[in-house]
Amino acid sequence: IEHKCENIFDLNDWTANRGGKNIRELIDLSDKRFMDDVQYAVKKILERKDAVRMVIIAGPSCSNKTTTTIIIGNELAKHGLKLKQLNVDDYFKDLKDQPKDEFGDYDFEMPEAIDIELLNNHFENLLRGETIQKPCYNFKTGCRDKFVEYHLEKDEILLIDCLHGLYRQLTHSVPAEKKFKIYIETMNILRDVQNHYTRWTDIRMLKRMIRDVKYRNHKTDQTLAHWPYVRKGELKHIIPYIFSTDIVINAGLPYELPGLKKSLEGLLPSDEFIENLRREGRLDPYIRGLRVKSLLQTVEPIADIDIIPPTSPLREFIGGSAYVIPHNE
């Protein structure tokens, strides 16, 4: 409201540099607001540094968990705190042990896809100062292909960047006072041309489309068709735990939509594919597909994507990030 970017019409003015508005200024203001949230989280962690042994950063798919985790880790290091990240995705069960649905699709979005018993055993061992044999999951083969030694020193804090980090059973072996929990979401308050609020989950789906194309060799068709599983897992095992967290970070950026539209040029699912979803009775992805394509038609794309700085959280998805981003989540 303060910067006159409440709806798509205002956003398009910023993107097209109309009326004294400049998109680079909007980008800088947006990134500063995000960093202020992150710095507040760092401040709160430091206030409990004598007790905390695990920092959990959780949130729904493509909500900028990875970038946020890296930044928080860098900031805490400036205060002498040693952080050691454990990738929970390495604890996925082998593909042969994952259930399929009637469409032959795997559901990796549920916490049951993770070997929770082994993970908690390892948490207990690590906090006792023991060395574990940590699995390494190969997403190409769909199984753990090796194990490596992993140890947590007394002056190190375990850093967990995980989709289901707030799911109680995932970390039940770690006492509550030893955990600091952060929830992150793309809360982009923006009205469309019908004066309805844009849906946060749709924006995250667009991010995931780009990530899947660039880093997983998946078409956006697959991302759209799979999204109901993503949303089911979020509604059951992520969003209900938002009130159990210590801090909530908003990773929503007003300039995301014009940046995403530019990055998705020529990649969106075809009208024919979306119509086939309807014929197959897959109404959730059918409705979402129509909705996001309709929304993007009203958005002015950023002409030069290079104007987005490498420190932008959006770079986690469109590429060119200043941070080292692992894309196996």
Side-chain angles (χ1 to χ4, degrees), residues 122-144:
H122 281 182
F123 284 152
E124 288 182 318
N125 295 339
L126 288 170
L127 294 186
R128 286 198 298 262
E130 300 174 6
T131 298
I132 64 169
Q133 295 295 318
K134 185 186 74 66
C136 295
Y137 194 85
N138 187 325
F139 279 87
K140 293 181 179 179
T141 62
C143 65
R144 305 166 189 171

Side-chain angles (χ1 to χ4, degrees), residues 48 51-55 127 157 174-180:
R48 291 178 47 196
V52 170
R53 294 301 314 279
M54 176 185 287
V55 172
L127 294 186
I157 298 175
V174 182
E177 66 272 12
K178 294 183 182 292
K179 293 184 282 193
F180 189 94

